[in-house]
DNA sequence: AATGAAACTCGCGCGGC
DNA sequence: GCCGCGCGAGTTTCATT
């Protein structure tokens, strides 16, 4: 992976659906060479897939909340985390250092949908001791972009 | 926006870079009709763009942390949030209800990079009273997918 | 709004450098 | 590893219903 690969990834990170030839034009290479690199990045698992970015406030998912889930002393962490991961309105499940807890990011229609999620699905779980909700009033930035370095020095 | 649009969005949400004809095949319509709908969704702002999903542990961004930033009594919230949003390693900036605080999601190389970010950039800000870091040990789920309803009833 | 056909553009494999 | 060429496949426009 060299600095040309990073150029390609930077382009794809903002507009992933543009044709291959346009990527090639932007970095000044032949389309076939660019295609070769992209295929390689996909095979290596550097590129995990392509997603459409939807505008959240056009859907029933305008309320974001972060939930701090405290687990019981003898909780089965992995099972609990995976059960939570199966729920569509839970976008993120992270295990947090030092607090025996999970951090969840959820996206629901409104506070009543959040209440339903908490009381009927999360709180009843045996491994869940308690939850603390932080409700988002406004979002200033929300991206999954991974910052890529300007220059990349090859490590052989 | 009808149920056909939702079908299209569901397909694009998992694999955005597939050819148009394949989308058309999957929902049983002519390619030109699908294209027309996609263009319309883009124009309406329902589709915000297309992104590549990169594998984080192949980059210098394998450490995720959630930072709870407590603001000072007379803080300029918007200015502070926007200044934080400008930093590449900060992926999310949310204003949280009830605690005069911001919730940040950051993605950095390691704990020392996090330390640098905190001590040189975040903590010195005049509106920042204190920060509390929650470091992620493992991630079970991390997606930006917005759950779409199976059936959609047109609201005229 | 969906369709089918036509014109155009791109994806992608191959041979050569 | 990059380029150029070529054919099959996909994209896009447009007249038609």
């Amino acid at each position: 992976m060299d600095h040309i690969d990073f150029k390609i990834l930077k382009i794809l990170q903002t507009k992933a659906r543009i044709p291959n030839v346009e990527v090639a034009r932007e970095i000044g290479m032949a389309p076939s060479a660019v295609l070769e690199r992209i295929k390689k990045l996909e095979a290596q698992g550097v590129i995990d897939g392509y997603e459409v970015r939807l505008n959240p406030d056009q859907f029933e998912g305008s309320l974001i909340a972060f939930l701090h889930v405290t687990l019981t002393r003898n909780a089965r962490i992995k099972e609990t985390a995976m059960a939570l991961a199966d729920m569509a309105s839970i976008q993120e499940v992270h295990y947090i250092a030092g607090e025996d807890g999970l951090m969840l990011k959820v996206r629901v229609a409104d506070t009543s949908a959040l209440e339903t999620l908490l009381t009927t699905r999360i709180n009843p779980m045996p491994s869940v001791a308690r939850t603390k909700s932080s409700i988002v009033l406004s979002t200033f930035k929300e991206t999954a972009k991974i910052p890529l370095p300007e220059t990349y020095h090859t490590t052989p």
Side-chain angles (χ1 to χ4, degrees), chain A:
Chain A
M1 213 163 41
D2 61 5
H3 71 106
I4 298 174
D5 288 317
F6 277 90
K7 272 191 187 175
I8 294 172
L9 293 176
K10 269 187 195 174
I11 294 169
L12 291 180
Q13 229 177 177
T14 41
K15 20 179 187 168
R17 221 178 138 78
I18 67 169
N20 222 314
V21 275
E22 205 173 316
V23 181
R25 273 196 286 269
E26 285 193 36
I27 64 175
M29 286 208 320
S32 48
V34 174
L35 183 71
E36 207 178 325
R37 281 171 174 273
I38 292 179
K39 292 291 172 196
K40 210 166 283 179
L41 290 168
E42 287 169 354
Q44 288 175 238
V46 177
I47 292 177
D48 240 16
Y50 303 89
E51 275 183 1
V52 68
R53 203 171 348 113
L54 300 180
N55 188 346
D57 32 61
Q58 305 237 17
F59 300 92
E60 293 186 343
S62 45
L63 182 72
I64 300 173
F66 290 94
L67 307 188
H68 195 288
V69 176
T70 307
L71 298 170
T72 57
R73 173 171 294 277
N74 52 358
R76 296 298 299 129
I77 297 168
K78 198 180 169 189
E79 280 78 355
T80 309
M82 281 168 56
L84 290 164
D86 276 340
M87 303 178 195
S89 48
I90 298 181
Q91 290 190 322
E92 302 190 20
V93 180
H94 307 273
Y95 181 59
I96 297 293
E99 312 180 41
D100 298 316
L102 296 171
M103 171 74 89
L104 311 183
K105 183 184 180 184
V106 310
R107 192 180 276 281
V108 288
D110 47 38
T111 49
S112 104
L114 178 61
E115 183 180 351
T116 306
L117 181 70
L118 279 168
T119 57
T120 70
R121 309 203 59 185
I122 299 178
N123 284 333
M125 297 178 87
S127 293
V128 171
R130 61 182 172 282
T131 60
K132 181 179 169 298
S133 303
S134 298
I135 290 177
V136 171
L137 294 178
S138 60
T139 296
F140 294 91
K141 185 183 189 180
E142 189 177 21
T143 181
K145 284 199 188 73
I146 295 174
L148 298 175
E150 289 302 325
T151 51
Y152 182 79
H153 303 287
T154 322
T155 47

